[in-house]
Amino acid sequence: MVLSALLMTLLAHHLFNLSALYRWLQNQRLGNVPVGTGAWEYVFSHIRRMLKRHEQNEVRLNEALSRFQQAGAALPDAVVILGEGDRIEWCNPKAEEYFGLENKRDRGQQITYILRQPQFVAHLAAGQVGESLVLRVSRERDEIVLSVQLVPFGDRQKLLLGRDITRWERLETTRRDFVANVSHELRTPLTVVGGFLETLGDMKEPDPEMTQRSIMLMAQQTSRMVRLVEDLLTLSRLESTQNPLREEDVNIPELVKALHQDAIALSAGRHKLRVSVESNDWLKGNTEELRSAFGNLISNAVRYTPDKGEVEIRWENRDGHPVFAVRDTGIGIEPQHIDRLTERFYRVDRSRSRETGGTGLGLAIVKHVLNRHQARLDVQSSLGSGSTFAVIFPETRRLPPKAAALTPVQEPAISR
Ligand code: ADP
């Protein structure tokens, strides 16, 4: 009797705890694990510990996952994880941007369904891992150039990496064009000099008149090469990051007057030259660089203005902005050329530039000097009636005139 009462109590105890366990199984949360009684107390506390560990692991995994996603988003390159059958498993935002993917939408999709360029499909099929491929993809407005690479990892998985090399490719093209241009510019004068030297060397009895003429022409070609090399050196100095702008207080009115004298010498009476210094302001900048930029503009005005034309040099103030301008009544420029004038070796009329001793680098030098002074170049021109090149400085570069000290003016800035 007592035994059966005891058994009943034990059964009731287990049933009670079992039903608590059953209820908890319906809603498994750490907070509501039953306390339990007797041996069940031990079982429930074990469950509670397991759950706690599980929850902590989950938090840690979530943190790791979100760190991974953050790192993926911060990567400057595109990354796509390709699984079996080259299906997309995951991609970062740069991959969405470069390849036109969408992480959620395209998961499970074969990469070749989206990246269909035949070179890429062949590259992938050939399993050319490690080697990079250059792909051109069109984005909304322009085209970008990507360097794409496949890296195998894990079990039959691959990383597809993409790097934007558009800027690098452009620089590379500019560099190649530049070397080709310089070589081309040097080849003509060198051929001329070489030809004369050969003729002179072959002459049994030198003809003094012919010799004299050859020497004169060789000297002309040599000074053309010297000018070119000097302009190239100036450009490279201006472009060098190791050569920051050395600022000083520049007496522009004085500089303009000196440049006017140089222009008189260059024009040699062929043009009507005027100078108009309407402002006494000085400028915060570099004297030599400004002399070179202004000198180039004046030299161009003289060189591209036929005899009897006019050239006017101005220093003035426009709404607080210091402005240096050169106006000429020369040949003028058609509008489609204006934006390209400051490119290296860009010439509207190649032969006229050469005849007048141009290197095609003058305005490129001007552009660099102006950039270093945060100034801009405004070109107004009409074909056949002349041009105005104005340099507009920021107000912050304006300095009130100083009393005595004059900026020393050395060699003429205009040498051609
Ligand atoms: P260049 O040594 O050939 O003069 P620049 O870089 O100084 O080279 O000028 C580039 C081109 O811009 C010139 O070849 C010329 O065609 C044009 N140009 C520059 N200044 C003038 C101007 N004042 N009038 C007409 N054309 C000009």
Side-chain angles (χ1 to χ4, degrees):
M1 185 65 192
V2 175
L3 189 65
S4 69
L6 264 174
L7 279 174
M8 287 303 283
T9 318
L10 198 62
L11 192 63
H13 162 245
H14 283 311
L15 279 174
F16 170 77
N17 281 295
L18 265 176
S19 90
L21 176 64
Y22 179 75
R23 258 182 283 117
W24 177 77
L25 283 172
Q26 312 288 313
N27 179 19
Q28 298 176 24
R29 276 191 302 137
L30 181 64
N32 56 8
V33 179
V35 181
T37 50
W40 284 93
E41 197 182 330
Y42 172 75
V43 172
F44 284 133
S45 91
H46 197 76
I47 290 179
R48 209 173 294 118
R49 269 204 306 281
M50 251 173 55
L51 272 181
K52 203 171 242 163
R53 248 198 329 267
H54 180 74
E55 223 166 62
Q56 279 166 350
N57 278 345
E58 204 166 298
V59 168
R60 239 176 276 138
L61 271 176
N62 275 334
E63 276 173 6
L65 187 66
S66 100
R67 266 207 304 278
F68 172 75
Q69 278 171 344
Q70 274 171 8
L75 272 178
D77 296 339
V79 183
V80 185
I81 297 180
L82 299 178
E84 196 140 350
D86 295 324
R87 290 180 188 281
I88 300 167
E89 286 185 358
W90 176 86
C91 74
N92 72 344
K94 272 282 180 248
E96 295 187 327
E97 184 188 327
Y98 292 172
F99 300 131
L101 297 173
E102 218 176 273
N103 196 7
K104 290 210 177 91
R105 184 198 61 196
D106 296 324
R107 261 184 219 179
Q109 189 71 258
Q110 259 189 340
I111 185 72
T112 46
Y113 187 77
I114 294 160
L115 272 179
R116 293 165 181 237
Q117 278 103 322
Q119 321 102 283
F120 175 72
V121 177
H123 190 75
L124 189 69
Q128 283 179 343
V129 289
E131 271 176 53
S132 48
L133 170 79
V134 174
L135 277 188
R136 291 169 191 279
V137 293
S138 359
R139 288 282 73 96
E140 277 158 23
R141 255 175 273 136
D142 42 14
E143 181 187 73
I144 57 170
V145 187
L146 296 174
S147 165
V148 169
Q149 210 179 359
L150 288 161
V151 183
F153 79 102
D155 197 16
R156 279 185 248 164
Q157 280 178 306
K158 286 185 200 98
L159 275 181
L160 166 64
L161 306 173
R163 170 165 293 180
D164 184 352
I165 55 162
T166 319
R167 224 175 89 81
W168 178 86
E169 230 225 9
R170 226 173 269 152
L171 282 175
E172 193 53 24
T173 313
T174 313
R175 193 190 62 81
R176 264 201 307 270
D177 289 354
F178 182 66
V179 172
N181 273 322
V182 172
S183 318
H184 182 77
E185 293 290 329
L186 284 172
R187 198 173 52 197
T188 320
L190 277 173
T191 313
V192 174
V193 172
F196 279 127
L197 285 175
E198 207 172 306
T199 317
L200 289 175
D202 286 349
M203 273 167 37
K204 298 262 161 26
E205 278 176 39
D207 169 354
E209 205 178 307
M210 158 95 173
T211 310
Q212 193 58 32
R213 230 176 70 80
S214 307
I215 290 176
M216 198 191 75
L217 290 169
M218 282 193 287
Q220 262 176 18
Q221 297 301 326
T222 311
S223 48
R224 183 171 152 191
M225 288 188 276
V226 170
R227 272 197 307 275
L228 178 68
V229 172
E230 275 171 358
D231 279 358
L232 286 170
L233 288 173
T234 306
L235 260 185
S236 108
R237 260 195 310 274
L238 290 170
E239 280 178 348
S240 162
T241 45
Q242 259 115 63
N243 177 24
L245 185 71
R246 271 185 298 106
E247 289 189 352
E248 52 207 352
D249 299 350
V250 189
N251 183 347
I252 302 284
E254 203 58 36
L255 179 64
V256 167
K257 284 177 205 154
L259 287 168
H260 179 223
Q261 292 308 312
D262 295 350
I264 293 174
L266 181 72
S267 161
R270 288 174 295 134
H271 308 92
K272 208 162 128 197
L273 293 168
R274 277 196 291 171
V275 66
S276 140
V277 179
E278 287 175 8
S279 159
N280 293 324
D281 288 338
W282 287 30
L283 209 65
K284 187 120 222 104
N286 183 277
T287 317
E288 284 320 306
E289 291 187 17
L290 292 171
R291 187 204 304 279
S292 155
F294 296 174
N296 269 309
L297 294 178
I298 297 172
S299 149
N300 281 353
V302 171
R303 288 167 45 236
Y304 296 107
T305 301
D307 292 0
K308 298 202 170 57
E310 271 178 40
V311 173
E312 186 189 12
I313 309 165
R314 303 173 71 88
W315 175 240
E316 62 195 9
N317 193 305
R318 289 189 203 161
D319 305 324
H321 291 268
V323 175
F324 171 85
V326 185
R327 184 184 61 80
D328 65 57
T329 58
I331 59 173
I333 306 156
E334 281 178 289
Q336 72 269 26
H337 298 291
I338 290 186
D339 284 346
R340 302 197 55 193
L341 294 180
T342 57
E343 286 174 23
R344 297 154 172 187
F345 298 114
Y346 189 86
R347 291 146 160 147
V348 177
D349 179 347
R350 220 155 248 282
S351 56
R352 180 160 189 135
S353 160
R354 291 233 175 84
E355 277 162 26
T356 55
T359 59
L361 295 173
L363 290 180
I365 292 175
V366 170
K367 184 183 87 177
H368 271 87
V369 172
L370 302 201
N371 281 349
R372 284 160 69 86
H373 288 79
Q374 299 79 43
R376 69 180 176 86
L377 184 66
D378 176 65
V379 184
Q380 303 290 333
S381 187
S382 75
L383 196 61
S385 43
S387 323
T388 302
F389 284 72
V391 180
I392 302 158
F393 290 93
E395 287 183 78
T396 45
R397 292 219 164 258
R398 192 157 77 99
L399 287 178
K402 289 199 172 166
L406 296 180
T407 312
V409 174
Q410 302 126 15
E411 302 165 15
I414 312 174
S415 52
R416 59 175 182 252

